[in-house]
Amino acid sequence: MKLYHSPRSRSVRPRWLLEEIGAPYELVTLDLTKAEHKTADYLKIHPHGAVPAFVDGDAALFESAAICMYLADKFADKHLAPPVGTPARGLYYQWMVYSMATLEPPVLQVFTNTVMLPEAQRSAAAAADGRTKFVEVARVLSQALTGKTFLLGEHFSAADVMIGSTLGWSHFMGLLNGQPVLEAYVKRLSERPAYQRAQAD
């Protein structure tokens, strides 16, 4: 297995899951400042020229959520996804999709307009709108996590990787201030050895 990675990017998610799994894999770190993600060879693996990308034999995948779902199923003995056909599996799908469709967009909106864009191109109104949308997302996630260690109860899953990684990013931007349930959740996740290994450059 080979993971194409760049530090502090969405590729941290499958890297974290691979570390939880403990199976051997090759980590290929791309230097985005040198456009190593835009080479002809890499574009054959990821046609958008982004990270992550993942190769496992004849399978070549991109999109962090897809890679994480693939890995959770490939290594079913690690119990990182509930059994297919169970109610818990339905909730697992819900949170995997929620991580990308509902949680990430307002976080990215804030990041884009406070960090990523040149200052002259930033929109204070767009950043404020992103923060407002995040508050609603935080309310839903806080309710889901109240009284639980992880999203699906007491058992860690790939859904925690997807949601937790984006909440970690949110914490970096100060979006978790005043969100004690989410702050405690991120702290629990950040103490996991696999999480810490995945953050290494």
Side-chain angles (χ1 to χ4, degrees), residues 69 73 81-99 152 159:
M69 287 190 285
D73 287 347
V84 174
T86 62
R89 183 73 173 210
L91 282 175
Y92 164 78
Y93 287 140
Q94 171 187 287
W95 293 124
M96 293 297 280
V97 174
Y98 190 90
S99 69
L152 301 182

Side-chain angles (χ1 to χ4, degrees), residues 7-60:
R8 295 171 295 280
S9 75
R10 293 178 181 90
S11 62
V12 169
R13 297 163 180 164
R15 185 181 182 189
W16 176 7
L17 195 62
L18 282 162
E19 290 295 332
E20 294 280 355
I21 290 165
Y25 69 97
E26 179 183 353
L27 186 70
V28 181
T29 301
L30 300 179
D31 188 338
L32 306 190
T33 66
K34 295 179 180 177
E36 291 178 354
H37 56 309
K38 299 297 184 182
T39 65
D41 284 344
Y42 185 68
L43 289 170
K44 293 176 184 176
I45 302 168
H46 195 318
H48 293 295
V51 290
F54 179 75
V55 175
D56 182 18
D58 293 333

Side-chain angles (χ1 to χ4, degrees), residues 36-153:
E36 291 178 354
H37 56 309
K38 299 297 184 182
T39 65
D41 284 344
Y42 185 68
L43 289 170
K44 293 176 184 176
I45 302 168
H46 195 318
H48 293 295
V51 290
F54 179 75
V55 175
D56 182 18
D58 293 333
L61 304 171
F62 53 91
E63 294 295 337
S64 60
I67 296 168
C68 286
M69 287 190 285
Y70 172 84
L71 287 169
D73 287 347
K74 179 181 175 71
F75 295 94
D77 60 310
K78 300 297 182 179
H79 305 292
L80 291 164
V84 174
T86 62
R89 183 73 173 210
L91 282 175
Y92 164 78
Y93 287 140
Q94 171 187 287
W95 293 124
M96 293 297 280
V97 174
Y98 190 90
S99 69
M100 300 303 296
T102 307
L103 171 58
E104 185 175 286
V107 178
L108 181 59
Q109 188 171 332
V110 174
F111 180 75
T112 299
N113 288 283
T114 59
V115 178
M116 189 170 72
L117 287 175
E119 194 164 345
Q121 297 177 29
R122 297 175 190 174
S123 166
D129 179 62
R131 289 189 181 94
T132 298
K133 291 175 180 174
F134 180 81
V135 169
E136 174 65 10
V137 172
R139 180 187 65 81
V140 171
L141 286 171
S142 292
Q143 287 180 346
L145 284 160
T146 296
K148 297 178 183 175
T149 303
F150 303 111
L151 281 165
L152 301 182

